[in-house]
Amino acid sequence: MQDWSHLFATRSSRMAASEIRELLKLLDRPDMISFAGGIPDPKLFPAAAFSDAYGELFASATCQTALQYSVSEGYPPLRKWIAERMAELGIPCGIDNIMITSGSQQALDYLGKLFLSPGDTALVGWPTYLGALQAFNAYEPAYDRLLPAANRTAQDYRDRAEEKGGAVKFAYGSADFANPTGLTLDLSERERILDLATELDIAVIEDAAYQSLRYDGEPLPPILALDIARNGGIDNTRTIYCGSFSKTLSPGLRVGWVCAAAPVIQKLVLIKQASDLNSSTINQIVMATVAERAFDAQVTQIRTAYRARRDCMLDALEQHMPEGVSWGRPEGGMFIWMELPAGVNCADLLARSIAEIKVAFVPGGAFFPDGTGANCMRLNFSAPSEEKIKDGIARLGRLISETLSR
């Protein structure tokens, strides 16, 4: 067999399979209760709205446009709809500040390509979204902890980045209901990230995939909105907002967007032209139609359903988890982050859980750039039914109790 290893670029050594994508294969097993995926419930997709939109499109002359190449920036009516929504979030902008991507994951890959040279430092949460680490890893960065409540100075970040052979280039994180922790940054933490980024003269990448999924508490302004308030307009800001329809309308159409200062968008457009020319034209047109007709009603529906499932999981955890196990109480999103006593390896626990009790989750180590967090796990509550949540958490609680009693 051909040995390819000597031909691959050095960056390929930092590419690894996503533990989450591998675990998603378990969803096809009818006997498995999965808390592993970060996915919406497909039963709640607005299928009728999409069916109508595709049908109307193919019955009109617009179908010729839909089946053709399109501009790299994205379908203008969809960008206009997004710009109007951004304005409602305190982010006034024009369509020149919006670029459509094939999901927000593509946006993270493009931003890694745009900002990172080998050895540069990305500031990320500890833990942070695994998909962001995968996107950034191809560009051979170093990582440092983004801890907005900590007392570290900008110079300390600079010094550590220089020791690793590069410069700090951006701070990445989710302000609302972060994956995997479910945590939300308070207003002072959002301001502190902006302060730090200003001192370091770096970008802020705001991953807002879950922004619409708030169940409790008062909405807080996105970091980009705070940046605009400070600097008088989006083209004077350093924050790059990554949005997505995947958690609200449909992940299958792969439609996301970047909202940022025009010079950043112009560079990202060049990257897209070299990458895939444009995101699916037909999917953008259909998404624009469905967003216009059904977005608000869809968000209301899934908020109600996911709130009930979150509460169901929190109640089940209270009932079944033994002493020494702790977990967060997210105000929104799709995840609960759980921590077991030090010394428990959740990767080993997962192997037992799948084999013995048919329950899947994601071990926490996958979300840490340095591989720590072995005693943590991420639980998803948006995909399973309340009945499966109750059953699965009861099973998992018994397995953890047995593990801790050894």
Side-chain angles (χ1 to χ4, degrees), residues 33 59 62 74 76 102 107 110 123 187 196 210 233 239 278 282 292 299 315 326 332 340 380 391 400:
I33 297 176
T62 309
S102 298
Y110 286 0
L123 306 183
L187 186 59
L196 179 64
Y210 305 93
T239 303
N278 62 269
I282 188 169
E292 183 71 36
V299 168
D315 290 344
S326 61
L340 279 64
N380 167 259
D391 186 11
I400 292 173

Side-chain angles (χ1 to χ4, degrees), residues 14 111-122 136 138-142 164-167 169-170:
R14 300 189 59 162
L111 290 167
K113 181 180 291 187
L114 181 61
F115 288 111
L116 293 171
S117 298
D120 282 340
T121 289
F136 301 152
Y139 306 105
E140 304 175 79
K164 295 173 182 177
K169 288 298 183 69
F170 59 73

Side-chain angles (χ1 to χ4, degrees), residues 61-366:
T62 309
C63 70
Q64 296 177 359
T65 300
L67 295 172
Q68 184 58 280
Y69 291 111
S70 185
V71 295
S72 299
E73 291 86 343
Y75 182 55
L78 178 59
R79 290 157 63 210
K80 180 177 182 293
W81 186 92
I82 291 169
E84 290 169 355
R85 286 284 163 163
M86 299 303 294
E88 293 175 9
L89 296 174
I91 302 171
C93 62
I95 67 169
D96 290 341
N97 299 111
I98 306 288
M99 186 185 82
I100 304 300
T101 57
S102 298
S104 60
Q105 185 67 26
Q106 185 180 66
L108 297 179
D109 175 58
Y110 286 0
L111 290 167
K113 181 180 291 187
L114 181 61
F115 288 111
L116 293 171
S117 298
D120 282 340
T121 289
L123 306 183
V124 299
W126 226 265
T128 196
Y129 171 47
L130 172 58
L133 296 179
Q134 289 185 294
F136 301 152
N137 276 345
Y139 306 105
E140 304 175 79
Y143 294 104
D144 201 350
R145 299 183 185 220
L146 177 63
L147 300 170
N151 212 17
R152 285 182 62 185
T153 65
Q155 189 59 48
D156 184 49
Y157 281 108
R158 286 193 196 94
D159 292 344
R160 295 196 187 189
E162 290 175 5
E163 290 170 4
K164 295 173 182 177
V168 183
K169 288 298 183 69
F170 59 73
Y172 163 83
S174 296
D176 296 296
F177 332 122
N179 181 359
T181 62
L183 294 177
T184 295
L185 298 178
D186 64 28
L187 186 59
S188 66
E189 290 171 325
R190 297 170 195 231
E191 295 280 13
R192 172 57 185 146
I193 288 174
L194 273 180
D195 291 341
L196 179 64
T198 301
E199 290 183 70
L200 289 169
D201 194 18
I202 61 172
V204 176
I205 299 175
E206 181 174 14
D207 189 340
Y210 305 93
Q211 188 273 328
S212 294
L213 301 183
R214 174 173 286 279
Y215 317 132
D216 298 326
E218 292 298 319
L220 293 169
I223 296 173
L224 179 52
L226 298 175
D227 202 346
I228 290 172
R230 288 186 180 196
N231 294 294
I234 191 169
D235 288 335
N236 299 323
T237 62
R238 65 178 66 250
T239 303
I240 302 163
Y241 182 106
C242 300
S244 175
F245 290 106
S246 293
K247 305 303 187 289
T248 51
L249 293 179
S250 166
L253 272 69
R254 308 307 303 132
V255 180
W257 71 89
V258 178
C259 179
V264 174
I265 297 297
Q266 290 161 11
K267 281 290 188 182
L268 291 174
V269 168
L270 296 179
I271 293 174
K272 191 161 186 63
Q273 288 172 352
S275 175
D276 66 356
L277 300 181
N278 62 269
S279 294
S280 165
T281 309
I282 188 169
N283 287 354
Q284 291 185 66
I285 294 173
V286 167
M287 188 63 81
T289 300
V290 174
E292 183 71 36
R293 295 176 180 176
F295 185 83
D296 291 330
Q298 174 68 7
V299 168
T300 297
Q301 176 187 226
I302 60 178
R303 280 176 177 167
T304 299
Y306 296 163
R307 178 189 293 112
R309 295 177 193 186
R310 178 206 59 180
D311 293 345
C312 178
M313 182 172 280
L314 289 172
D315 290 344
L317 290 170
E318 289 283 1
Q319 183 177 351
H320 296 291
M321 286 300 149
E323 186 176 348
V325 179
S326 61
W327 54 90
R329 297 180 178 275
E331 293 182 333
M334 293 183 169
F335 307 109
I336 292 174
W337 183 251
M338 194 159 77
E339 185 172 339
L340 279 64
V344 177
N345 187 310
C346 286
D348 295 340
L349 186 66
L350 173 64
R352 288 188 58 205
S353 184
I354 290 173
E356 299 175 21
I357 65 170
K358 303 295 190 294
V359 174
F361 55 84
V362 183

Side-chain angles (χ1 to χ4, degrees), residues 33-50:
I33 297 176
S34 179
F35 303 134
I39 61 175
D41 182 351
K43 297 183 183 68
L44 300 177
F45 292 153
F50 280 112

